[in-house]
Amino acid sequence: MEYEVVRDCFNNCITVCNMENFDPLGIHTGESIVVAPSQTLSNSEYHTLRKLSIKIIRNIGIIGECNVQFAVDPNSEDYRVIEVNARLSRSSALASKATGYPLAFIAAKLALGYGLHQLKNAVTKTTSAFFEPALDYIVCKIPRWDLNKFIGVSKEIGSSMKSVGEVMAIGRTFEEVIQKGLRMVGQGMHGFVGNRT
């Protein structure tokens, strides 16, 4: 699970987006299929991890944007913090596109000393940057590889990132976005079903 969090110099914090990695722990998040918002967290788990993300960014003292990654046990509410990235990443770009919240722009303004309450969302032009986006749709990111260009490269995914890009699909259900994503990834697939071998 990942949370994109922003904090200003006045200690105001919001979570912009939470995302769920489709692949298990041990697969680099750049290699993973990602769904936003998360689909398997309970309400309790979602709010626990949200609260922890905000606590982490405040305790570290990050001003700007931060990505917090968790490993969550699907059979309990046990979790571990895997990574805290105090920078924009591929996940941040996905969160920005998925929510319409301009993370790079806001992070730059916060680094200059502005507060979230002083900034407008440059995309909506009406809401404040202090406004936490809410999604009534689902977004899915699927990575793309071009391993044929590199002779001898292992085609197994793991903890190092080999993907050269990604596709993003938007829809109303998980089934819709995963089907759209698989069609767009450029491998000649029609989705999970209807593929000719």
Side-chain angles (χ1 to χ4, degrees), residues 17-31:
C17 186
N18 93 307
M19 296 165 277
E20 182 169 358
N21 289 279
F22 193 79
D23 299 283
L25 186 63
I27 303 299
H28 192 286
T29 54
E31 305 283 79

Side-chain angles (χ1 to χ4, degrees), residues 26-84:
I27 303 299
H28 192 286
T29 54
E31 305 283 79
S32 180
I33 295 172
V34 180
V35 182
S38 60
Q39 299 296 296
T40 63
L41 288 180
S42 68
N43 193 45
S44 170
E45 289 170 323
Y46 170 83
H47 285 287
T48 297
L49 297 178
R50 179 186 177 280
K51 188 165 60 175
L52 282 166
S53 298
I54 290 172
K55 193 173 187 178
I56 288 167
I57 194 172
R58 281 184 169 148
N59 283 328
I60 294 174
I62 295 166
I63 294 176
E65 191 271 345
C66 180
N67 171 269
V68 183
Q69 297 179 16
F70 297 95
V72 181
D73 181 354
N75 301 312
S76 71
E77 290 198 1
D78 193 23
Y79 66 88
R80 297 291 182 271
V81 177
I82 304 172
E83 217 174 275
V84 178

Side-chain angles (χ1 to χ4, degrees), residues 106-118:
I106 297 297
K109 289 288 192 179
L110 296 179
L112 291 172
Y114 288 91
L116 285 168
H117 61 286
Q118 297 170 312

Side-chain angles (χ1 to χ4, degrees), residues 20 22 33-40 135-142 168-184 192:
E20 182 169 358
F22 193 79
I33 295 172
V34 180
V35 182
S38 60
Q39 299 296 296
T40 63
L135 303 182
D136 63 349
Y137 51 88
I138 298 172
V139 174
C140 178
K141 180 266 297 187
I142 300 179
M168 185 180 88
I170 300 174
R172 292 285 178 194
T173 64
F174 173 75
E175 293 82 3
E176 180 184 351
V177 294
I178 198 81
Q179 285 286 92
K180 282 180 176 179
L182 287 172
R183 288 178 184 156
M184 289 188 296
F192 274 117

